[in-house]
Amino acid sequence: MPDRTLYTFRLEIHLRSPWLVHGNAPAQFGLSATQMRDHRGNLILPGNLLVGRLRDAWHAMTAFGLATENPDHWFGQAGPEPDRRARLWIADLSLATPPANAPQARPRVALGETSGAAEDAQLLLVEQNHQAGQALVFTGQWRAVVTADEATRLQRALQAGLLWHSQLGAQRTVGFGVVLRAAATCARSDPPISPRQVPHGHRARLVLHIADPLCVATRSLRGNVFASGDTLSGGTLKGALATQLRARFGKPVDTLAPHNALARHFDALRIGHAHPAQDEARPAALPQSLVAHGDELFDVAALATPHLIDGQAPAFHHDWKRPTADAARARQGWGATASHLRVRTAVYGPHQALDDTPFDPTLAGQAWDDHLFAYDCRVARDDTRWLADIHLADDLPDTEAAAVWQALADLIAPGLGPLGKTDAFAQARLTTEQPHRWPQRNPAAVASGEQLTLQLNTPALLFASSQVADQAAPDLLALYRDAFHQLSGGALRLSHFFASQRMAGGTYLHRRHLAQRQHAYRPLVLTEPGSVFVLTVVDADTARPLLARWQRHGLPLPTAVVAEHGGRWQDHPYLPQNGYGEIAIDLQHGFPPPPAHRLTAC
């Protein structure tokens, strides 16, 4: 296997002012074009702009017979296949030169194509923060897991590609963004000197500090805005680990089993979702049995039928206003994140034939008309960290478990990434401590005949989509009751529940998991986090070990779900090994039930 390690490539570009890379932030009154800034407010040369320029330069150098690198090898290609993924992880270059004066506007005016005279109402005012002719220095770091020889070749190709262009950014034809000089250097990224903690046993916690904007899209708004959630799914984390294993050893994970303990047990490894936290205590989802009445919050999980509180209908979380939601989240211990919008445009290339339009090679590499899109990212506050719990198989021998933890600690020592659509990079460490914001009950003490609450902390597949298809009002109580009866072997019976559902699917799921195996498109129905199920214990002897196993490894997929949607990672990502179906039993969240004397049955 190749001897690969993480290298950092430091890029430095000197431009002569004026320059322009269009930003998407609201402009000051009178400005037509603003400069692009990152989430910290720094002026930047975006990494994807440089990738496009490097691709163009390397293709041109190849056409002239000059030695260079294959851009598809380093920057990737469109498509879900692992061999098409980028090996070089890019980042923006930030401006290090302080402004010489207050921001000002530089005027431009459009000229008629035939007359050459100034067009009416075509004045353009461009934001500029430096004097004309001033030298501007942009710096940034890119990463790649490579051999020493590959690092040297890539460093030379990056420098040559940056120097190939005389200008960067917009308005190049009128003298903007002149490149004065550019340099690329590389250095091996050694792990931190501080000793790494290697867990023992079969459970550990993964702690992530993420300073980059993060976009793990949970929904698409209007088709071209990808809005990120706060949570990193276990599947996202396993995907990042698989990418790093492949980058480190140059082989797919399944072929590394004889040489690496982590790869040997990768499929059985369960990584929970990483939630943003205020401290070292991992938060749980807010129970959907919570209701608001005035300024008070109550948990009505014990009520099997609707009730009024003080003669009024309480508000469930779907109807909460911002102050109520903020008060609940403050007690939840959820880490603070802020929104950061990044607008981009698709680049026209051969893969765009997916839109049933003939490929025009004369337009390759250009911005694609009418294909603007945006990432609505999340940016963490400095004291926010993401916490995920990792579980090994119960029957794994202690010596093999120790080897898995050692291999995992070595892999993530330089960091974990790329994560999400923005290729964010995280500082990562393992710890044996697993405190939770809200403790839960030990199932060893449950007794037959008593009731307990089971809450989903992550989404779960509990019934097949065909069981609710073409039904205006499906009997969800019957569906959930059948699911828990089948999963528990009759040891638990569902009394009532508080739950919501959402559809999961779309183009990516179809192309990534279904079309390749010639399966018909079929969306899935996920039961959402915070859903609460009140269960009656029918057989405590059977229920105790079962509930303990569910706490460690999540709810397994019901038989009907496996039969219709499959139960492997090749079929869909919503598996227990990817953190889905995480539960909490009798969560001690501190929200009281409503007093009996204030209740009125409906």
Side-chain angles (χ1 to χ4, degrees):
M1 292 186 292
D3 183 18
R4 291 176 173 175
T5 188
L6 182 67
Y7 277 79
T8 298
F9 296 82
R10 187 179 186 275
L11 306 184
E12 183 176 301
I13 299 177
H14 294 236
L15 299 184
R16 186 179 68 203
S17 182
W19 69 287
L20 175 64
V21 175
H22 287 277
N24 55 272
Q28 298 177 4
F29 183 74
L31 279 180
S32 308
T34 59
Q35 299 279 21
M36 179 171 284
R37 288 172 166 81
D38 63 12
H39 58 288
R40 301 181 185 90
N42 300 322
L43 294 169
I44 59 170
L45 282 177
N48 56 289
L49 167 68
L50 298 178
V51 167
R53 297 293 83 204
L54 287 166
R55 279 185 178 274
D56 184 60
W58 290 356
H59 281 307
M61 293 166 71
T62 300
F64 281 105
L66 301 175
T68 187
E69 293 293 314
N70 180 359
D72 290 340
H73 178 74
W74 293 108
F75 301 128
Q77 299 172 272
E81 294 81 2
D83 290 337
R84 293 189 172 190
R85 293 176 182 169
R87 288 190 60 194
L88 182 60
W89 304 323
I90 68 171
D92 299 327
L93 272 62
S94 299
L95 178 60
T97 307
N101 51 14
Q104 55 184 316
R106 179 171 292 275
R108 296 284 302 149
V109 63
L111 302 179
E113 293 184 4
T114 55
S115 66
E119 295 278 6
D120 291 339
Q122 293 294 313
L123 184 66
L124 175 70
L125 293 176
V126 179
E127 177 192 6
Q128 289 295 305
N129 294 270
H130 300 80
Q131 294 178 349
Q134 184 177 356
L136 311 177
V137 181
F138 294 84
T139 61
Q141 293 183 346
W142 292 6
R143 298 180 177 93
V145 178
V146 291
T147 64
D149 179 63
E150 287 177 323
T152 301
R153 293 192 348 250
L154 180 57
Q155 177 264 326
R156 292 172 179 169
L158 288 172
Q159 178 154 324
L162 294 175
L163 290 171
W164 187 265
H165 295 281
S166 61
Q167 292 165 277
L168 293 173
Q171 302 287 333
R172 297 192 300 274
T173 57
V174 293
F176 277 46
V178 173
V179 177
L180 299 177
R181 72 183 191 89
T185 58
C186 68
R188 178 171 173 156
S189 299
D190 293 320
I193 299 176
S194 58
R196 299 190 301 271
Q197 182 175 6
V198 179
H200 56 272
H202 288 66
R203 180 180 177 183
R205 170 155 295 172
L206 178 64
V207 183
L208 302 174
H209 292 266
I210 306 175
D212 301 329
L214 181 68
C215 185
V216 280
T218 55
R219 62 192 188 281
S220 176
L221 307 178
R222 298 176 298 280
N224 67 341
V225 179
F226 300 93
S228 178
D230 281 338
T231 297
L232 283 165
S233 73
T236 298
L237 298 176
K238 289 192 76 170
L241 290 174
T243 299
Q244 288 199 193
L245 278 170
R246 187 184 183 96
R248 172 69 178 82
F249 297 106
K251 294 183 178 180
V253 175
D254 54 357
T255 65
L256 296 174
H259 314 286
N260 186 279
L262 176 60
R264 194 155 50 245
H265 302 284
F266 196 79
D267 287 346
L269 187 74
R270 181 177 186 271
I271 302 183
H273 286 24
H275 298 315
Q278 299 172 356
D279 48 35
E280 297 296 328
R282 184 169 179 263
L286 282 175
Q288 294 195 27
S289 55
L290 288 185
V291 298
H293 176 66
D295 295 333
E296 299 176 286
L297 289 170
F298 297 110
D299 184 3
V300 297
L303 303 179
T305 58
H307 282 69
L308 303 178
I309 301 178
D310 295 335
Q312 297 179 342
F316 284 87
H317 75 282
H318 302 87
D319 299 318
W320 287 356
K321 304 302 182 186
R322 177 59 64 86
T324 303
D326 289 345
R329 287 175 71 91
R331 296 174 61 176
Q332 183 187 17
W334 205 261
T337 63
S339 175
H340 173 69
L341 190 69
R342 188 72 174 265
V343 179
R344 297 178 57 183
T345 184
V347 175
Y348 188 78
H351 61 279
Q352 309 306 353
L354 295 173
D355 281 0
D356 298 324
T357 56
F359 172 60
D360 184 353
T362 64
L363 301 178
Q366 298 182 19
W368 201 10
D369 289 341
D370 303 322
H371 280 73
L372 203 68
F373 64 97
Y375 293 153
D376 187 0
C377 308
R378 307 306 300 175
V379 178
R381 209 169 60 181
D382 290 342
D383 59 351
T384 297
R385 73 288 313 272
W386 274 261
L387 306 177
D389 288 337
I390 304 178
H391 297 263
L392 304 181
D394 292 338
D395 57 355
L396 193 66
D398 291 343
T399 53
E400 190 70 359
V404 172
W405 294 131
Q406 184 64 61
L408 179 57
D410 292 341
L411 184 67
I412 67 173
L416 179 62
L419 297 169
K421 293 181 176 294
T422 56
D423 288 349
F425 217 79
Q427 294 179 352
R429 60 183 172 89
L430 294 173
T431 176
T432 55
E433 300 295 329
Q434 299 106 28
H436 288 267
R437 183 78 174 189
W438 293 333
Q440 58 176 304
R441 182 181 181 183
N442 186 342
V446 301
S448 296
E450 70 170 307
Q451 285 191 335
L452 55 85
T453 61
L454 183 148
Q455 175 181 307
L456 291 180
N457 278 335
T458 60
L461 279 175
L462 292 178
F463 51 82
S465 57
S466 62
Q467 295 177 276
V468 295
D470 302 322
Q471 298 183 48
D475 188 351
L476 293 177
L477 178 61
L479 289 175
Y480 284 129
R481 186 168 284 169
D482 288 345
F484 282 104
H485 182 273
Q486 185 255 311
L487 292 176
S488 68
L492 300 169
R493 174 178 172 79
L494 178 64
S495 169
H496 55 281
F497 68 93
F498 304 81
S500 59
Q501 302 78 31
R502 68 175 176 90
M503 302 292 287
T507 303
Y508 173 78
L509 179 72
H510 181 61
R511 289 177 178 165
R512 176 70 175 86
H513 295 282
L514 303 178
Q516 296 184 49
R517 283 170 294 284
Q518 299 181 345
H519 290 179
Y521 173 71
R522 185 174 292 164
L524 302 95
V525 182
L526 292 174
T527 302
E528 294 196 296
S531 296
V532 174
F533 301 90
V534 180
L535 304 168
T536 301
V537 180
V538 178
D539 181 355
D541 292 336
T542 302
R544 291 186 196 109
L546 186 72
L547 292 170
R549 186 163 65 249
W550 289 355
Q551 283 181 326
R552 295 190 303 273
H553 301 292
L555 287 174
L557 297 178
T559 304
V561 171
V562 175
E564 182 166 320
H565 301 293
R568 305 172 304 159
W569 65 266
Q570 294 94 335
D571 301 317
H572 58 81
Y574 306 107
L575 306 174
Q577 298 94 316
N578 291 345
Y580 291 91
E582 177 186 325
I583 68 161
I585 299 170
D586 286 343
L587 200 61
Q588 300 172 34
H589 47 60
F591 295 102
H597 68 275
R598 299 172 61 182
L599 294 175
T600 304
C602 296

